[in-house]
Short mmCIF file of all heavy atoms in Angstrom, two decimals:
data_model
loop_
_atom_site.label_atom_id
_atom_site.label_comp_id
_atom_site.label_asym_id
_atom_site.label_seq_id
_atom_site.Cartn_x
_atom_site.Cartn_y
_atom_site.Cartn_z
N MET A 1 0.82 -1.22 0.00
CA MET A 1 0.02 0.01 0.04
C MET A 1 0.83 1.26 -0.03
O MET A 1 2.03 1.21 0.45
CB MET A 1 -0.86 -0.06 1.26
CG MET A 1 -2.10 -0.94 1.06
SD MET A 1 -3.59 -0.11 1.53
CE MET A 1 -3.64 -0.43 3.23
N ALA A 2 0.29 2.30 -0.54
CA ALA A 2 1.01 3.56 -0.60
C ALA A 2 1.13 4.18 0.77
O ALA A 2 0.20 4.55 1.43
CB ALA A 2 0.32 4.53 -1.51
N ASN A 3 2.37 4.17 1.22
CA ASN A 3 2.70 4.80 2.52
C ASN A 3 3.87 5.73 2.38
O ASN A 3 4.72 5.57 1.56
CB ASN A 3 3.05 3.75 3.47
CG ASN A 3 1.91 3.26 4.39
OD1 ASN A 3 1.02 4.06 4.67
ND2 ASN A 3 1.85 2.05 4.79
N PRO A 4 3.88 6.79 3.18
CA PRO A 4 4.97 7.74 3.14
C PRO A 4 6.30 7.05 3.51
O PRO A 4 6.24 6.30 4.52
CB PRO A 4 4.63 8.86 4.06
CG PRO A 4 3.52 8.38 4.87
CD PRO A 4 2.85 7.24 4.13
N LYS A 5 7.34 7.22 2.79
CA LYS A 5 8.61 6.51 3.03
C LYS A 5 9.30 7.15 4.24
O LYS A 5 10.02 6.56 4.98
CB LYS A 5 9.44 6.55 1.82
CG LYS A 5 10.50 5.45 1.72
CD LYS A 5 10.99 5.28 0.28
CE LYS A 5 11.52 3.85 0.15
NZ LYS A 5 11.84 3.61 -1.29
N HIS A 6 9.17 8.56 4.20
CA HIS A 6 9.89 9.23 5.28
C HIS A 6 8.98 10.21 5.97
O HIS A 6 8.06 10.74 5.28
CB HIS A 6 11.13 10.02 4.72
CG HIS A 6 12.14 9.09 4.06
ND1 HIS A 6 12.96 8.32 4.87
CD2 HIS A 6 12.47 8.85 2.82
CE1 HIS A 6 13.71 7.62 4.06
NE2 HIS A 6 13.44 7.96 2.85
N ARG A 7 9.21 10.41 7.18
CA ARG A 7 8.39 11.32 7.90
C ARG A 7 8.84 12.71 7.57
O ARG A 7 10.06 13.07 7.51
CB ARG A 7 8.63 11.08 9.46
CG ARG A 7 8.10 12.08 10.38
CD ARG A 7 8.72 11.75 11.80
NE ARG A 7 8.59 12.97 12.59
CZ ARG A 7 8.19 12.92 13.87
NH1 ARG A 7 7.96 11.74 14.39
NH2 ARG A 7 8.11 14.00 14.50
N HIS A 8 7.85 13.71 7.38
CA HIS A 8 8.19 15.07 7.08
C HIS A 8 8.50 15.80 8.41
O HIS A 8 7.89 15.51 9.41
CB HIS A 8 7.05 15.74 6.37
CG HIS A 8 6.88 15.32 5.00
ND1 HIS A 8 5.88 15.78 4.14
CD2 HIS A 8 7.59 14.45 4.22
CE1 HIS A 8 5.95 15.19 2.95
NE2 HIS A 8 6.96 14.34 3.01
N SER A 9 9.42 16.79 8.33
CA SER A 9 9.75 17.54 9.49
C SER A 9 8.62 18.41 9.93
O SER A 9 7.72 18.67 9.15
CB SER A 9 10.98 18.41 9.10
OG SER A 9 10.62 19.43 8.27
N ARG A 10 8.68 18.83 11.15
CA ARG A 10 7.69 19.78 11.69
C ARG A 10 7.64 21.02 10.80
O ARG A 10 6.56 21.55 10.59
CB ARG A 10 8.01 20.12 13.16
CG ARG A 10 7.41 19.12 14.09
CD ARG A 10 7.91 19.43 15.46
NE ARG A 10 9.31 19.01 15.60
CZ ARG A 10 10.13 19.26 16.66
NH1 ARG A 10 9.59 19.90 17.69
NH2 ARG A 10 11.35 18.85 16.65
N ALA A 11 8.81 21.51 10.41
CA ALA A 11 8.85 22.74 9.63
C ALA A 11 8.15 22.57 8.28
O ALA A 11 7.36 23.42 7.90
CB ALA A 11 10.31 23.14 9.39
N ARG A 12 8.28 21.41 7.69
CA ARG A 12 7.67 21.13 6.40
C ARG A 12 6.19 21.02 6.53
O ARG A 12 5.39 21.52 5.75
CB ARG A 12 8.26 19.85 5.82
CG ARG A 12 7.86 19.65 4.35
CD ARG A 12 8.72 18.52 3.73
NE ARG A 12 8.10 18.12 2.53
CZ ARG A 12 8.63 17.22 1.71
NH1 ARG A 12 9.82 16.66 1.99
NH2 ARG A 12 8.01 16.82 0.67
N ARG A 13 5.78 20.26 7.59
CA ARG A 13 4.33 20.19 7.88
C ARG A 13 3.71 21.55 8.12
O ARG A 13 2.71 21.91 7.56
CB ARG A 13 4.16 19.30 9.11
CG ARG A 13 2.71 19.11 9.55
CD ARG A 13 2.67 18.69 11.02
NE ARG A 13 3.20 19.72 11.92
CZ ARG A 13 3.52 19.56 13.15
NH1 ARG A 13 3.50 18.33 13.70
NH2 ARG A 13 4.00 20.52 13.88
N ASP A 14 4.38 22.40 8.94
CA ASP A 14 3.83 23.67 9.32
C ASP A 14 3.79 24.62 8.15
O ASP A 14 2.91 25.45 8.07
CB ASP A 14 4.58 24.27 10.49
CG ASP A 14 4.39 23.41 11.79
OD1 ASP A 14 3.53 22.56 11.74
OD2 ASP A 14 5.08 23.60 12.74
N LYS A 15 4.81 24.52 7.25
CA LYS A 15 4.82 25.36 6.04
C LYS A 15 3.66 25.02 5.21
O LYS A 15 3.02 25.93 4.56
CB LYS A 15 6.18 25.18 5.30
CG LYS A 15 7.23 26.23 5.66
CD LYS A 15 8.39 26.15 4.79
CE LYS A 15 9.41 25.18 5.30
NZ LYS A 15 10.68 25.18 4.51
N ARG A 16 3.30 23.73 5.12
CA ARG A 16 2.20 23.36 4.28
C ARG A 16 0.94 23.97 4.86
O ARG A 16 0.07 24.49 4.22
CB ARG A 16 2.05 21.82 4.21
CG ARG A 16 0.92 21.32 3.42
CD ARG A 16 0.88 19.77 3.33
NE ARG A 16 0.54 19.21 4.68
CZ ARG A 16 1.29 18.39 5.31
NH1 ARG A 16 2.49 17.96 4.78
NH2 ARG A 16 0.89 17.92 6.48
N ARG A 17 0.74 23.85 6.19
CA ARG A 17 -0.51 24.34 6.89
C ARG A 17 -0.54 25.85 6.83
O ARG A 17 -1.63 26.38 7.06
CB ARG A 17 -0.54 23.80 8.25
CG ARG A 17 -0.78 22.28 8.19
CD ARG A 17 -0.85 21.64 9.56
NE ARG A 17 -0.91 20.26 9.49
CZ ARG A 17 -0.86 19.41 10.52
NH1 ARG A 17 -0.77 19.92 11.77
NH2 ARG A 17 -0.96 18.11 10.36
N ALA A 18 0.54 26.49 6.71
CA ALA A 18 0.58 27.99 6.76
C ALA A 18 -0.10 28.56 5.48
O ALA A 18 -0.45 29.72 5.51
CB ALA A 18 1.99 28.47 6.86
N ASN A 19 -0.22 27.73 4.43
CA ASN A 19 -0.89 28.22 3.23
C ASN A 19 -2.30 28.28 3.30
O ASN A 19 -3.03 28.81 2.38
CB ASN A 19 -0.48 27.36 2.04
CG ASN A 19 0.99 27.74 1.57
OD1 ASN A 19 1.31 28.88 1.48
ND2 ASN A 19 1.75 26.71 1.27
N TRP A 20 -2.93 27.67 4.33
CA TRP A 20 -4.31 27.62 4.49
C TRP A 20 -4.82 29.04 5.01
O TRP A 20 -4.34 29.51 6.05
CB TRP A 20 -4.76 26.56 5.47
CG TRP A 20 -6.19 26.33 5.55
CD1 TRP A 20 -6.97 25.46 4.78
CD2 TRP A 20 -7.15 27.01 6.44
NE1 TRP A 20 -8.28 25.62 5.15
CE2 TRP A 20 -8.43 26.53 6.11
CE3 TRP A 20 -7.02 27.97 7.43
CZ2 TRP A 20 -9.57 26.94 6.87
CZ3 TRP A 20 -8.13 28.39 8.06
CH2 TRP A 20 -9.40 27.90 7.78
N LYS A 21 -5.74 29.65 4.31
CA LYS A 21 -6.28 30.94 4.74
C LYS A 21 -7.71 30.87 4.67
O LYS A 21 -8.33 30.23 3.80
CB LYS A 21 -5.65 32.04 3.81
CG LYS A 21 -4.24 32.40 3.99
CD LYS A 21 -3.92 33.57 3.16
CE LYS A 21 -2.40 33.70 3.01
NZ LYS A 21 -1.93 32.79 2.00
N PHE A 22 -8.38 31.65 5.49
CA PHE A 22 -9.79 31.74 5.45
C PHE A 22 -10.19 32.68 4.34
O PHE A 22 -9.66 33.75 4.21
CB PHE A 22 -10.39 32.25 6.78
CG PHE A 22 -11.81 32.33 6.80
CD1 PHE A 22 -12.55 31.17 7.03
CD2 PHE A 22 -12.53 33.52 6.59
CE1 PHE A 22 -13.94 31.22 7.04
CE2 PHE A 22 -13.87 33.57 6.56
CZ PHE A 22 -14.59 32.39 6.79
N GLU A 23 -11.11 32.28 3.52
CA GLU A 23 -11.58 33.14 2.40
C GLU A 23 -13.05 33.32 2.45
O GLU A 23 -13.85 32.38 2.80
CB GLU A 23 -11.21 32.48 1.07
CG GLU A 23 -9.88 32.98 0.52
CD GLU A 23 -9.58 32.26 -0.78
OE1 GLU A 23 -10.36 32.50 -1.74
OE2 GLU A 23 -8.57 31.55 -0.90
N ALA A 24 -13.51 34.55 2.09
CA ALA A 24 -14.91 34.77 2.03
C ALA A 24 -15.48 34.01 0.87
O ALA A 24 -14.83 33.97 -0.18
CB ALA A 24 -15.10 36.34 1.86
N PRO A 25 -16.77 33.43 1.03
CA PRO A 25 -17.29 32.75 -0.09
C PRO A 25 -17.61 33.68 -1.27
O PRO A 25 -17.90 34.88 -1.02
CB PRO A 25 -18.64 32.09 0.51
CG PRO A 25 -18.89 33.00 1.72
CD PRO A 25 -17.59 33.48 2.22
N ASN A 26 -17.58 33.09 -2.44
CA ASN A 26 -17.94 33.89 -3.67
C ASN A 26 -19.45 34.23 -3.63
O ASN A 26 -20.28 33.43 -3.18
CB ASN A 26 -17.73 33.03 -4.95
CG ASN A 26 -16.29 32.80 -5.13
OD1 ASN A 26 -15.41 33.64 -4.87
ND2 ASN A 26 -15.96 31.63 -5.68
N LEU A 27 -19.80 35.40 -4.00
CA LEU A 27 -21.13 35.80 -3.95
C LEU A 27 -21.47 36.36 -5.32
O LEU A 27 -20.68 37.03 -5.99
CB LEU A 27 -21.40 36.88 -2.92
CG LEU A 27 -21.40 36.52 -1.50
CD1 LEU A 27 -21.56 37.69 -0.58
CD2 LEU A 27 -22.46 35.50 -1.20
N SER A 28 -22.65 35.99 -5.88
CA SER A 28 -23.16 36.64 -7.12
C SER A 28 -24.38 37.38 -6.71
O SER A 28 -24.94 37.22 -5.66
CB SER A 28 -23.45 35.59 -8.15
OG SER A 28 -24.43 34.66 -7.67
N ILE A 29 -24.87 38.21 -7.64
CA ILE A 29 -26.06 39.08 -7.38
C ILE A 29 -27.27 38.42 -7.99
O ILE A 29 -27.24 38.01 -9.18
CB ILE A 29 -25.83 40.46 -8.01
CG1 ILE A 29 -24.50 41.10 -7.37
CG2 ILE A 29 -27.02 41.36 -7.71
CD1 ILE A 29 -24.52 41.33 -5.86
N CYS A 30 -28.31 38.28 -7.23
CA CYS A 30 -29.55 37.75 -7.69
C CYS A 30 -30.15 38.63 -8.76
O CYS A 30 -30.32 39.85 -8.57
CB CYS A 30 -30.52 37.56 -6.58
SG CYS A 30 -32.17 37.03 -7.07
N PRO A 31 -30.50 38.17 -9.95
CA PRO A 31 -31.01 39.02 -10.97
C PRO A 31 -32.49 39.44 -10.67
O PRO A 31 -32.98 40.37 -11.26
CB PRO A 31 -30.98 38.12 -12.28
CG PRO A 31 -30.92 36.70 -11.77
CD PRO A 31 -30.27 36.75 -10.44
N GLU A 32 -33.16 38.73 -9.71
CA GLU A 32 -34.49 39.09 -9.38
C GLU A 32 -34.57 40.24 -8.37
O GLU A 32 -35.29 41.19 -8.54
CB GLU A 32 -35.21 37.87 -8.85
CG GLU A 32 -35.27 36.65 -9.81
CD GLU A 32 -36.20 36.87 -10.98
OE1 GLU A 32 -37.22 37.44 -10.84
OE2 GLU A 32 -35.77 36.55 -12.10
N CYS A 33 -33.86 40.03 -7.27
CA CYS A 33 -33.97 40.98 -6.17
C CYS A 33 -32.72 41.75 -5.86
O CYS A 33 -32.67 42.55 -4.97
CB CYS A 33 -34.47 40.25 -4.89
SG CYS A 33 -33.25 39.06 -4.27
N LYS A 34 -31.65 41.47 -6.65
CA LYS A 34 -30.34 42.18 -6.55
C LYS A 34 -29.69 42.00 -5.24
O LYS A 34 -28.79 42.79 -4.83
CB LYS A 34 -30.59 43.71 -6.83
CG LYS A 34 -31.38 44.02 -8.13
CD LYS A 34 -30.60 43.72 -9.32
CE LYS A 34 -31.39 44.16 -10.61
NZ LYS A 34 -32.20 43.10 -11.19
N GLU A 35 -30.06 40.93 -4.54
CA GLU A 35 -29.42 40.64 -3.26
C GLU A 35 -28.24 39.70 -3.55
O GLU A 35 -28.20 38.89 -4.49
CB GLU A 35 -30.39 39.85 -2.34
CG GLU A 35 -31.45 40.77 -1.66
CD GLU A 35 -30.91 41.69 -0.62
OE1 GLU A 35 -30.07 41.14 0.19
OE2 GLU A 35 -31.26 42.85 -0.51
N PRO A 36 -27.15 39.79 -2.68
CA PRO A 36 -26.07 38.81 -2.90
C PRO A 36 -26.55 37.39 -2.58
O PRO A 36 -27.26 37.18 -1.62
CB PRO A 36 -24.99 39.29 -1.90
CG PRO A 36 -25.70 40.20 -0.99
CD PRO A 36 -26.88 40.74 -1.69
N LYS A 37 -26.16 36.45 -3.36
CA LYS A 37 -26.51 35.07 -3.12
C LYS A 37 -25.28 34.15 -3.53
O LYS A 37 -24.39 34.64 -4.23
CB LYS A 37 -27.72 34.68 -3.90
CG LYS A 37 -27.56 34.59 -5.44
CD LYS A 37 -28.77 34.02 -6.11
CE LYS A 37 -28.47 33.63 -7.59
NZ LYS A 37 -27.54 32.48 -7.63
N LEU A 38 -25.36 32.91 -3.13
CA LEU A 38 -24.30 31.97 -3.50
C LEU A 38 -24.51 31.55 -4.93
O LEU A 38 -25.74 31.33 -5.31
CB LEU A 38 -24.34 30.73 -2.60
CG LEU A 38 -23.85 31.02 -1.14
CD1 LEU A 38 -24.15 29.78 -0.30
CD2 LEU A 38 -22.33 31.30 -1.12
N PRO A 39 -23.51 31.50 -5.77
CA PRO A 39 -23.74 31.01 -7.13
C PRO A 39 -24.21 29.57 -7.18
O PRO A 39 -23.81 28.78 -6.39
CB PRO A 39 -22.28 31.14 -7.80
CG PRO A 39 -21.34 31.26 -6.64
CD PRO A 39 -22.03 31.84 -5.53
N HIS A 40 -25.03 29.32 -8.22
CA HIS A 40 -25.60 27.99 -8.47
C HIS A 40 -26.49 27.52 -7.30
O HIS A 40 -26.66 26.33 -7.09
CB HIS A 40 -24.45 26.94 -8.76
CG HIS A 40 -23.53 27.33 -9.88
ND1 HIS A 40 -23.93 27.40 -11.13
CD2 HIS A 40 -22.30 27.78 -9.77
CE1 HIS A 40 -22.88 27.82 -11.88
NE2 HIS A 40 -21.90 28.11 -11.07
N ARG A 41 -27.02 28.41 -6.60
CA ARG A 41 -27.97 28.14 -5.51
C ARG A 41 -29.15 29.00 -5.57
O ARG A 41 -29.06 30.15 -6.11
CB ARG A 41 -27.29 28.31 -4.13
CG ARG A 41 -25.99 27.57 -3.97
CD ARG A 41 -26.01 26.45 -3.10
NE ARG A 41 -24.82 25.82 -2.79
CZ ARG A 41 -23.72 25.57 -3.55
NH1 ARG A 41 -23.63 26.09 -4.80
NH2 ARG A 41 -22.66 24.88 -3.13
N VAL A 42 -30.26 28.49 -5.14
CA VAL A 42 -31.55 29.34 -5.10
C VAL A 42 -31.27 30.50 -4.22
O VAL A 42 -30.68 30.42 -3.14
CB VAL A 42 -32.70 28.40 -4.60
CG1 VAL A 42 -33.91 29.24 -4.38
CG2 VAL A 42 -32.91 27.24 -5.53
N CYS A 43 -31.78 31.72 -4.67
CA CYS A 43 -31.67 32.89 -3.87
C CYS A 43 -32.38 32.71 -2.60
O CYS A 43 -33.55 32.27 -2.64
CB CYS A 43 -32.16 34.06 -4.65
SG CYS A 43 -32.18 35.62 -3.73
N LEU A 44 -31.77 33.05 -1.48
CA LEU A 44 -32.43 32.84 -0.20
C LEU A 44 -33.37 33.94 0.17
O LEU A 44 -34.16 33.82 1.07
CB LEU A 44 -31.37 32.69 0.92
CG LEU A 44 -30.56 31.35 0.84
CD1 LEU A 44 -29.44 31.40 1.93
CD2 LEU A 44 -31.44 30.14 1.07
N SER A 45 -33.24 35.13 -0.51
CA SER A 45 -34.14 36.21 -0.18
C SER A 45 -35.38 36.26 -1.01
O SER A 45 -36.44 36.72 -0.48
CB SER A 45 -33.37 37.55 -0.24
OG SER A 45 -32.78 37.68 -1.54
N CYS A 46 -35.37 35.79 -2.22
CA CYS A 46 -36.57 35.82 -3.03
C CYS A 46 -37.01 34.45 -3.49
O CYS A 46 -38.05 34.20 -4.02
CB CYS A 46 -36.49 36.78 -4.17
SG CYS A 46 -35.35 36.26 -5.51
N GLY A 47 -36.15 33.40 -3.32
CA GLY A 47 -36.51 32.11 -3.65
C GLY A 47 -36.53 31.69 -5.11
O GLY A 47 -37.14 30.77 -5.45
N SER A 48 -35.86 32.51 -5.93
CA SER A 48 -35.89 32.24 -7.39
C SER A 48 -34.56 31.67 -7.80
O SER A 48 -33.51 31.84 -7.26
CB SER A 48 -36.14 33.52 -8.11
OG SER A 48 -35.00 34.38 -8.16
N TYR A 49 -34.66 30.91 -8.95
CA TYR A 49 -33.48 30.44 -9.60
C TYR A 49 -33.74 30.33 -11.09
O TYR A 49 -34.74 29.84 -11.51
CB TYR A 49 -33.12 29.02 -9.01
CG TYR A 49 -31.73 28.59 -9.50
CD1 TYR A 49 -30.61 29.10 -8.93
CD2 TYR A 49 -31.56 27.69 -10.52
CE1 TYR A 49 -29.34 28.70 -9.36
CE2 TYR A 49 -30.31 27.32 -11.04
CZ TYR A 49 -29.19 27.81 -10.42
OH TYR A 49 -27.98 27.44 -10.93
N ASN A 50 -32.82 30.91 -11.88
CA ASN A 50 -32.95 30.90 -13.29
C ASN A 50 -34.22 31.55 -13.77
O ASN A 50 -34.86 31.04 -14.70
CB ASN A 50 -32.80 29.41 -13.88
CG ASN A 50 -32.29 29.35 -15.30
OD1 ASN A 50 -31.84 30.35 -15.76
ND2 ASN A 50 -32.31 28.21 -15.92
N GLY A 51 -34.58 32.58 -13.07
CA GLY A 51 -35.72 33.36 -13.48
C GLY A 51 -37.07 32.78 -13.07
O GLY A 51 -38.10 33.33 -13.38
N LYS A 52 -37.01 31.65 -12.33
CA LYS A 52 -38.28 31.03 -11.96
C LYS A 52 -38.29 31.00 -10.39
O LYS A 52 -37.28 30.87 -9.74
CB LYS A 52 -38.33 29.55 -12.45
CG LYS A 52 -38.79 29.49 -13.94
CD LYS A 52 -38.70 28.09 -14.38
CE LYS A 52 -37.30 27.78 -14.83
NZ LYS A 52 -37.12 26.39 -15.32
N LYS A 53 -39.52 31.11 -9.85
CA LYS A 53 -39.73 31.08 -8.47
C LYS A 53 -39.61 29.58 -7.99
O LYS A 53 -40.47 28.79 -8.49
CB LYS A 53 -41.00 31.70 -8.00
CG LYS A 53 -41.15 31.88 -6.54
CD LYS A 53 -41.50 33.35 -6.27
CE LYS A 53 -41.70 33.46 -4.75
NZ LYS A 53 -40.99 34.60 -4.17
N ILE A 54 -38.67 29.24 -7.18
CA ILE A 54 -38.54 27.80 -6.87
C ILE A 54 -39.11 27.56 -5.46
O ILE A 54 -39.84 26.58 -5.27
CB ILE A 54 -37.00 27.43 -6.86
CG1 ILE A 54 -36.40 27.81 -8.18
CG2 ILE A 54 -36.86 25.98 -6.45
CD1 ILE A 54 -36.81 26.91 -9.35
N ILE A 55 -38.80 28.36 -4.49
CA ILE A 55 -39.28 28.19 -3.16
C ILE A 55 -40.00 29.42 -2.65
O ILE A 55 -39.64 30.50 -3.05
CB ILE A 55 -38.12 27.73 -2.18
CG1 ILE A 55 -36.99 28.71 -2.30
CG2 ILE A 55 -37.69 26.32 -2.41
CD1 ILE A 55 -35.93 28.45 -1.21
N GLU A 56 -40.90 29.23 -1.80
CA GLU A 56 -41.70 30.32 -1.20
C GLU A 56 -40.92 30.77 0.08
O GLU A 56 -40.57 29.94 0.88
CB GLU A 56 -43.03 29.83 -0.81
CG GLU A 56 -44.11 30.94 -0.71
CD GLU A 56 -44.39 31.57 -2.11
OE1 GLU A 56 -44.64 30.81 -3.06
OE2 GLU A 56 -44.35 32.83 -2.22
N ILE A 57 -40.66 32.06 0.14
CA ILE A 57 -39.95 32.60 1.31
C ILE A 57 -41.00 33.17 2.27
O ILE A 57 -41.80 34.01 1.90
CB ILE A 57 -38.99 33.77 0.90
CG1 ILE A 57 -37.92 33.25 -0.17
CG2 ILE A 57 -38.28 34.30 2.11
CD1 ILE A 57 -36.99 32.25 0.34
N ILE A 58 -40.96 32.54 3.44
CA ILE A 58 -41.89 33.03 4.48
C ILE A 58 -41.21 34.15 5.26
O ILE A 58 -40.09 33.97 5.69
CB ILE A 58 -42.37 31.85 5.47
CG1 ILE A 58 -42.98 30.74 4.61
CG2 ILE A 58 -43.25 32.33 6.56
CD1 ILE A 58 -42.53 29.39 4.97
N GLU A 59 -41.86 35.24 5.39
CA GLU A 59 -41.33 36.35 6.11
C GLU A 59 -41.14 36.01 7.54
O GLU A 59 -41.99 35.50 8.22
CB GLU A 59 -42.26 37.63 6.02
CG GLU A 59 -42.37 38.22 4.57
CD GLU A 59 -41.03 38.90 4.22
OE1 GLU A 59 -40.42 39.51 5.06
OE2 GLU A 59 -40.68 38.75 3.05
N LYS A 60 -39.92 36.26 8.03
CA LYS A 60 -39.59 35.85 9.39
C LYS A 60 -40.21 36.91 10.36
O LYS A 60 -40.10 38.03 10.21
CB LYS A 60 -38.02 35.94 9.61
CG LYS A 60 -37.42 34.56 9.49
CD LYS A 60 -35.96 34.60 9.78
CE LYS A 60 -35.10 34.78 8.48
NZ LYS A 60 -33.72 34.97 8.74
N ALA A 61 -41.01 36.35 11.25
CA ALA A 61 -41.61 37.22 12.29
C ALA A 61 -40.59 37.68 13.29
O ALA A 61 -39.73 36.94 13.75
CB ALA A 61 -42.71 36.39 13.02
N ALA A 62 -40.66 38.99 13.53
CA ALA A 62 -39.65 39.58 14.39
C ALA A 62 -39.88 39.09 15.84
O ALA A 62 -40.99 39.23 16.42
CB ALA A 62 -39.73 41.12 14.41
N VAL A 63 -38.84 38.43 16.44
CA VAL A 63 -39.06 37.84 17.85
C VAL A 63 -38.49 38.82 18.79
O VAL A 63 -37.37 39.32 18.58
CB VAL A 63 -38.34 36.49 17.97
CG1 VAL A 63 -38.55 35.95 19.32
CG2 VAL A 63 -38.91 35.49 16.91
ZN1 ZN B 101 -33.31 36.98 -5.17
#
């Protein structure tokens, strides 16, 4: 089975992990309501996708 032949040093491991950065998710603008939404997902504020209404958005009651 494929196994690592040699153990990597702590420095090598930590250098690899240092490249990980937190990134903000990509956002696209909904063509229906002009709100930011995730690409390839139904808009969460108006419930439309590809110009069609997919889901009904129930107005959240202020608690
Ligand atoms: Zn929308």
